[in-house]
Structure formats: C-alpha cells, structure tokens
C-alpha cells in the first residue's frame, strides 16, 4: 500500500512513510478490503488523507465482519460445525495447528433462498479471507468442453494463489452422478472427473476452505460428497419465527415497528422472501413519505405471501397433527420442531436410523399419517401429501421401493435391483405390486392410528393454529399430555408391533410375499 501511494499521491515518488504507517490499518485489516472499496480512499487529495480514509473503511466493515455469521438465519442446527471450521482456520493462521489435522470442507444443502451463498460470504468475511466463487454454469459458459475445463482450472488456481481463502462452488448438483446414463453422460463424466481432481488438489493446499452448495444433495456424484473432498454435510433450513424477526429487524433498522404479526404470516418462507417483504414495506413507506409502520409490513407480507383462509389453515394443522401423532406413537424420540405457514407445513425429526422392517413400516406410516388425518377429519384429502420429490407420498414410496429392491425385505426376492427415481414408472409389474402393497398397508395403519386418537389430532392441530410454530420443548409437552410416561412407553411398543402385524398380514395377501 505504501508503494502504491508513492505512485498515486507523490509527484516525486516520496512520501512520509512513518506518518502513513501510523495512519494505515494493519495488514490483516487491509486484506479485508476488496478492490471496489479502495476507490473512495484513493480519491483523497493526499497520501495521508487516503490512509485515514482506508482506516475509516476498515472500521466500518469490522462491525459487519464480526457479526457476519449472526446475520445468516437458519443456522441453528449447523452453527457448531460452522464455528469449528472457522476456529480451525483461525488456529491454523496462528500457527497453533497443522492443516492436515483439520476438517476443511463442507457440502451445504437446503431449499432455495435459505442463505447458502450468504453463508459462504459471511464465513469468508468473518475469517477475514478472500472469497473465490464459481459454479458449473459459470464455467460452462466459457465454451466447449476443453474451454469449460480450462475455466474450472483457472478459478481453482486463483483460489490456491489467494490462500488463505474460501473457495465456494454453487449448484454443485450440476456435477451429477456419473452412474446415471443420459445423452450427455460422457461429457458429464469428464467434467465430474475434473472436479474430483480439483477437490483433491484443493484439499492438499493449506489455507483453502472449500464450501459447495446445492438444493439437491442426492443428485451430487457420491465421489464428490465423500470425506476428504467434502468433509461435512451441513443442512440449512428456512428461518424460524425468531430468524424471520431478525431478518426484518436487520433490514428495517433499530427503529423498526412491531413485526410480530408479519413474522407470523411469514413462517415457513425463505429468508430471501422475508428480506423481500422488508424491502416492499420500505417502498410503501417511501411512497407515503413516512417511516415504516406495522401495517406496511403486514400489507407487504400479504402482497408477497397471500394470507391463508381459516379453512386452509385448519386443514394444514390437521395434516401436520397426523404426522406428529404418528411420530409420537412410533418413534423413540419426538420431533424437534413443527410449523404451518403459507408455504406449507413442516416437521423436523432427529435422525431416525431405519434398520429393521418395523422401522421402515413406522417411517412409512408417519409419512402417510398427515393424509390419513385429513381424511378422518374432513372426509376428503388435499394434494398436500403429494407433489414434489420431497412430498410425503414420494418419500414413503422411496422407502418402500428401496426396501424391496435394495434391501430384499418384506419377503422380496434375494436380489439387489435398485431403481432410480426416473425409472419408477417402468418398474416390473411384480415390483410395483409389492411397493403398492407396502404403501397400502402403511396407509391402513395410519388411518387406524388417527381413528383411534381423534382428540389427540384436535389438540395438536389447535396448538399449531395458536402458535404456528412449535419448538422441541412445546412438542415434548404435547407428547407428554397425549401419552403419559407409563402408557406412552406401552403405546410406543404396542403401536410399532401392531402396525408391523397389520403390514405383514396385508403383504401376505399377495402371492409374491
């Protein structure tokens, strides 16, 4: 910086080095400033003025840097791993640990708009290191295969040259599984192979943290996802009510109005959508030349996310109540959160390893219990159980297909014959019948469970309507009210056993079992 100031602010190439050293930020602070931020400083008339301006810019950016990760909402489940990655990088920079002893990479997955890119930027800012980013599409636009691979090599080489830094690759699911055959399989294989080489190369460079983002982790080639290339899998989620409130507060400033009602309307939406609502509210207030009011937020929320009718809210609550009741009865540990909102209902479960046939039956029943609760309460069902690859029916179907084609369970042939999702419709008839029998048996068990506990469905649904969002403590209290400690243990074992017997009896009707 001193040499640069000699060129830009001294006709004779001489400056007062001691005065400038006293005025300039530290080397570490200067590294935090990216190119565009240097321009205002160099517009000063004197070298000393430029140094003072640089110090002001550093001080202004430090506030955002220190609070960077706290401004990314929805990190609660993965924040410990993020903090460990950050602490490891800082410890290595301080010479306290060898790079080979650290986890240095992660796959970040989550729905659209949950903040994956924002997390990568915040991580780099808080670590005070450069961010080097790219994507499959960014490299592909360079041209044909050779040019694309050259573009990928260039950006990886840039990250290595800038170490310590964060290398971020977005939409890594575009580097899809090489085992899936399609028209461009050979092209895809070469691109994925190149990415494998580059991830191995980056892993060997001290100081490079690799973060990769995707909405669909199941589509990423397994070799890319393995430890050593992407060590951790961090699953982000949409922000809860507290996170949405924080996003609104960040966008509207400390003098923001009460946003509790608006936050209730936005439960279940992405952080990007919540930020868009805040900008819309600012626009409404600007149009009327006044500060933002609570009504502005509510109006903006209803423009972007239309309010649900009482009937739809009730149906959504009953649907989620069915899932919760089945989870209470069939899983050893209760869900950790549940919510209903404009984008649908959600229920988050701790990892439940499905090892036995009984475990798999329980998982299918829990998936189908929302549909069963709607039928029992309203006499008909909505489309809420189906739709996307992550819908209740899709996930239950995947469990059943894997059980009979990958694991040879439920009396199926002792043969490993996995079926990719795109081939579900072309499965042999006998496999389709086995899967259908399993799903019908799980549905029958779910409907019986719901029919036996109508008051429990109503209690859970009313709690969801009242709070819109239930945390782990509220869910534990609900579970205790519905299943007391003694009878709950009996119900858990009895329901698992009875659901398994029901499934076995139904499956036995088909000669293939």
């Amino acid at each position: 910086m001193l040499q640069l100031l000699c060129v830009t602010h001294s006709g004779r190439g001489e400056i007062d080095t001691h005065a400038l050293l006293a005025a300039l930020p530290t080397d570490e602070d200067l590294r935090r400033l990216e190119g565009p931020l240097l321009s205002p400083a160099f517009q000063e008339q004197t070298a000393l003025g430029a140094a003072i301006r640089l110090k002001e810019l550093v001080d202004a950016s430090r506030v955002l840097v220190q609070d960077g990760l706290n401004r990314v909402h929805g990190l609660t489940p993965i924040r410990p791993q993020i903090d460990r990655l950050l602490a490891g990088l800082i410890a290595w920079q301080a010479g306290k640990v060898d790079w080979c002893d650290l986890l240095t990479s992660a796959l970040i997955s989550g729905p659209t708009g949950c903040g994956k890119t924002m997390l990568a930027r915040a991580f780099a800012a808080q670590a005070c290191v450069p961010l080097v980013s790219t994507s499959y599409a960014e490299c592909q636009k360079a041209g044909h295969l050779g040019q694309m691979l050259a573009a990928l090599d260039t950006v990886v080489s840039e990250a290595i040259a800038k170490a310590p830094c964060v290398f971020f690759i977005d939409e890594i699911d575009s580097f899809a599984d090489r085992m899936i055959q399609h028209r461009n399989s050979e092209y895809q294989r070469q691109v994925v192979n190149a990415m494998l080489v580059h991830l191995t190369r980056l892993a060997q460079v001290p100081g490079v943290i690799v973060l990769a983002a995707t909405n669909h982790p199941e589509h990423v080639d397994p070799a890319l996802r393995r430890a050593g290339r992407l060590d951790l899998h961090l699953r982000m989620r949409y922000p809860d009510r507290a996170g949405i409130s924080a996003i609104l507060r960040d966008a509207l400033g400390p003098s923001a109005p009460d946003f509790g009602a608006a936050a209730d309307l936005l439960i279940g939406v992405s952080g990007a959508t919540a930020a868009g609502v805040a900008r819309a509210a600012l626009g409404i207030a600007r149009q009327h030349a006044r500060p933002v009011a609570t009504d502005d937020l509510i109006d903006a929320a209803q423009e972007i996310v239309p309010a649900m009718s009482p009937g739809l809210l009730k149906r959504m609550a009953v649907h989620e109540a069915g899932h919760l009741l089945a989870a209470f009865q069939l899983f050893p540990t209760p869900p950790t959160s549940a919510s209903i909102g404009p984008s649908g209902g959600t229920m988050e479960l701790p990892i439940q390893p499905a090892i036995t046939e009984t475990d798999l039956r329980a998982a299918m029943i829990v998936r189908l219990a929302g549909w069963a609760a709607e039928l029992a309460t309203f006499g008909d069902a909505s489309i809420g159980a189906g739709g996307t690859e992550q819908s209740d029916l899709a996930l239950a179907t995947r469990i059943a297909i894997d059980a009979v084609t990958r694991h040879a369970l439920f009396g199926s042939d002792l043969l490993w014959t996995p079926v990719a999702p795109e081939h579900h419709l072309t499965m042999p008839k006998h496999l389709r019948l086995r899967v259908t029998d399993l799903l019908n048996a799980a549905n029958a068990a779910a409907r019986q469970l719901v029919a036996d506990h109508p008051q429990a469905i109503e209690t859970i649904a009313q709690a969801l309507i009242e709070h819109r969002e239930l945390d782990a403590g509220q869910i534990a209290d609900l579970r205790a009210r519905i299943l007391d400690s003694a009878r709950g243990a009996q119900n858990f074992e009895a329901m698992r056993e009875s659901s398994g017997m029901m499934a076995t009896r139904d499956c036995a009707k088909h000669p293939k079992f």
Side-chain angles (χ1 to χ4, degrees):
M1 189 63 67
L2 289 172
Q3 292 173 354
L4 185 58
L5 287 171
C6 282
V7 174
T8 59
H9 284 75
S10 173
R12 296 179 299 172
E14 297 177 359
I15 53 176
D16 187 344
T17 303
H18 295 294
L20 286 177
L21 282 175
L24 279 170
T26 65
D27 287 348
E28 181 179 345
D29 285 337
L30 284 170
R31 291 184 61 167
R32 189 180 302 130
L33 294 179
E34 298 185 5
L37 291 177
L38 300 179
S39 180
F42 280 87
Q43 292 175 8
E44 296 291 332
Q45 296 299 312
T46 66
L48 185 59
I52 293 172
R53 182 67 171 139
L54 285 169
K55 183 69 165 57
E56 291 172 351
L57 289 169
V58 164
D59 291 341
S61 68
R62 185 179 290 115
V63 176
L64 293 177
V65 167
Q66 291 173 345
D67 201 36
L69 288 173
N70 291 333
R71 297 168 67 89
V72 184
H73 304 288
L75 294 183
T76 302
I78 64 172
R79 185 60 189 265
Q81 293 113 308
I82 292 290
D83 287 342
R84 281 197 290 273
L85 277 176
L86 182 62
L89 176 60
I90 293 171
W92 171 79
Q93 287 178 296
K96 297 178 180 178
V97 64
D98 290 334
W99 189 253
C100 60
D101 294 331
L102 300 173
L103 295 178
T104 60
S105 57
L107 173 66
I108 308 168
S109 67
T112 302
C114 68
K116 299 181 289 294
T117 302
M118 187 178 180
L119 170 58
R121 290 173 179 162
F123 185 96
Q126 193 145 336
C128 301
V129 298
L131 175 70
V132 179
S133 62
T134 190
S135 67
Y136 186 100
E138 185 69 23
C139 294
Q140 192 176 48
K141 75 179 185 181
H144 59 67
L145 177 61
Q147 291 169 318
M148 184 210 182
L149 297 181
L152 183 60
D153 181 80
T154 297
V155 73
V156 169
S157 297
E158 179 188 352
I160 291 172
K162 289 186 175 180
C165 71
V166 172
F167 178 71
F168 175 64
I169 181 162
D170 201 3
E171 299 172 350
I172 197 170
D173 52 283
S174 296
F175 295 85
D177 192 338
R178 291 164 295 172
M179 297 302 293
I180 298 176
Q181 296 299 309
H182 51 80
R183 186 175 59 182
N184 296 317
S185 292
E186 186 57 33
Y187 178 96
Q188 186 69 27
R189 179 176 290 105
Q190 294 184 65
V191 173
V192 173
N193 286 343
M195 192 71 241
L196 291 173
V197 171
H198 288 309
L199 285 180
T200 301
R201 179 182 169 198
L202 288 165
Q204 296 169 350
V205 178
V208 179
I209 295 287
V210 177
L211 301 178
T214 177
N215 297 341
H216 304 287
E218 68 279 5
H219 294 166
V220 181
D221 190 278
L224 293 172
R225 286 185 281 134
R226 74 159 174 82
R229 293 193 174 109
L230 294 172
D231 295 318
L232 303 173
H233 185 180
L234 308 178
R235 294 173 175 86
M236 292 187 69
R237 62 186 185 187
Y238 284 157
D240 56 14
R241 180 193 279 107
I244 290 170
S245 297
I247 291 171
L248 297 177
R249 187 185 305 112
D250 288 346
L252 300 175
S255 60
D258 177 31
F259 36 68
D264 284 344
L265 292 173
L266 296 174
I267 288 173
V269 306
S270 69
T273 299
V277 167
R279 291 193 295 271
L282 286 168
I284 294 172
R286 192 180 306 114
Q287 184 179 7
H288 294 89
R290 56 170 172 73
V292 178
T294 300
D295 288 345
D296 297 333
L297 267 175
I298 294 174
D299 290 345
Q302 291 179 340
E303 284 180 8
I304 294 177
V305 185
M308 293 183 293
S309 67
L312 178 58
L313 187 66
K314 173 71 172 181
R315 182 178 286 273
M316 195 178 294
V318 166
H319 184 105
E320 290 308 310
H323 290 312
L324 285 165
L325 175 63
F328 289 170
Q329 294 278 16
L330 301 177
F331 287 163
T333 53
T336 55
S337 68
S339 67
I340 54 174
S343 59
T346 64
M347 179 182 72
E348 189 166 316
L349 289 161
I351 295 176
Q352 307 275 1
I355 299 174
T356 67
E357 291 182 353
T358 301
D359 296 328
L360 294 171
R361 289 190 193 103
M364 286 186 282
I365 292 168
V366 170
R367 292 295 179 190
L368 297 177
W371 187 82
E374 287 189 58
L375 279 174
T377 304
F378 304 108
D380 62 0
S382 70
I383 62 173
T388 68
E389 293 179 356
Q390 297 302 310
S391 66
D392 299 335
L393 185 56
L395 293 173
T397 301
R398 185 75 252 173
I399 293 170
I401 290 175
D402 286 348
V404 299
T405 64
R406 291 176 180 267
H407 308 303
L409 297 176
F410 301 106
S412 56
D413 297 329
L414 191 61
L415 182 66
W416 187 75
T417 55
V419 178
E422 62 269 20
H423 296 147
H424 285 183
L425 292 177
T426 58
M427 281 194 306
K429 183 178 180 180
H430 73 281
L431 288 181
R432 289 174 61 86
L433 288 173
R434 291 183 181 188
V435 170
T436 301
D437 281 344
L438 281 174
L439 292 173
N440 286 337
N443 178 49
R447 295 186 68 172
Q448 185 64 54
L449 185 155
V450 168
D452 289 344
H453 301 85
Q455 187 54 50
I457 292 292
E458 181 64 22
T459 299
I460 299 170
Q462 286 303 318
L464 283 165
I465 291 172
E466 178 183 355
H467 299 287
R468 301 292 185 94
E469 179 182 86
L470 303 175
D471 60 24
Q474 291 170 309
I475 290 174
D477 289 342
L478 260 180
R479 188 174 189 260
R481 286 164 54 193
I482 293 169
L483 309 170
D484 63 49
S485 56
R487 195 181 59 184
Q490 295 172 353
N491 277 351
F492 170 68
E493 296 301 334
M495 280 302 304
R496 281 173 68 89
E497 183 179 353
S498 65
S499 66
M501 290 172 63
M502 183 179 299
T504 302
R505 287 198 300 270
D506 283 6
C507 291
K509 295 177 185 177
H510 197 277
K512 291 289 184 182
F513 284 87

